[in-house]
Amino acid sequence: MNFKYLLASLLFTIGQLSMAQNYNGKVLDGQNNSPLPEAHVTAQNGKATYTDADGNFQLSIPEKGTTVAISYMGYKTIQQFISPSDTVNQFLMEEEPFEVNGVMVTGNAKIIPYLPQ
């Protein structure tokens, strides 16, 4: 009985993997074309990955394609529809500076012994 469940799940997994395609991309800074390591790449189908030190990523997407969101701190998020391709596609990200208004650091004198009481 357990063998039937194992066989059914194996066939389902093989079917899902056969419909998925690998997509290769590269995330670069739009001004100087330098790679952006550790950029977060999320597909609409729930798959996600990060870029490597050279800005490259590989993602498994459906044959019909999907929308991806690429984000990196200090840059505008890119949302783009992609479809399976044999070439490495490049994504150029634009800077989007943000301002930090202020930071307040507080402590509790009762639990931090080096603060004067």
Side-chain angles (χ1 to χ4, degrees):
M1 186 74 138
N2 289 336
F3 181 71
K4 290 180 185 178
Y5 292 121
L6 178 65
L7 182 60
S9 64
L10 181 65
L11 290 175
F12 178 75
T13 303
I14 290 173
Q16 292 295 319
L17 291 176
S18 67
M19 293 189 315
Q21 302 288 321
N22 284 334
Y23 181 87
N24 296 314
K26 187 171 187 120
V27 180
L28 302 170
D29 181 303
Q31 291 182 347
N32 58 16
N33 286 341
S34 62
L36 295 176
E38 302 300 321
H40 190 238
V41 182
T42 308
Q44 190 176 21
N45 64 357
K47 304 282 184 180
T49 189
Y50 288 95
T51 59
D52 63 12
D54 297 323
N56 297 313
F57 70 91
Q58 186 175 41
L59 194 63
S60 180
I61 63 170
E63 277 186 37
K64 61 184 181 195
T66 188
T67 300
V68 293
I70 303 172
S71 59
Y72 193 79
M73 182 172 260
Y75 289 81
K76 293 180 183 177
T77 299
I78 296 174
Q79 288 194 352
Q80 186 173 336
F81 183 82
I82 60 171
S83 53
S85 173
D86 292 335
T87 61
V88 177
N89 296 309
Q90 294 184 351
F91 297 89
L92 301 176
M93 299 193 76
E94 296 178 22
E95 286 189 31
E96 182 178 48
F98 59 92
E99 183 178 323
V100 178
N101 293 329
V103 177
M104 179 184 283
V105 179
T106 62
N108 188 339
K110 293 180 182 177
I111 59 173
I112 303 177
Y114 55 83
L115 290 178
Q117 295 185 13

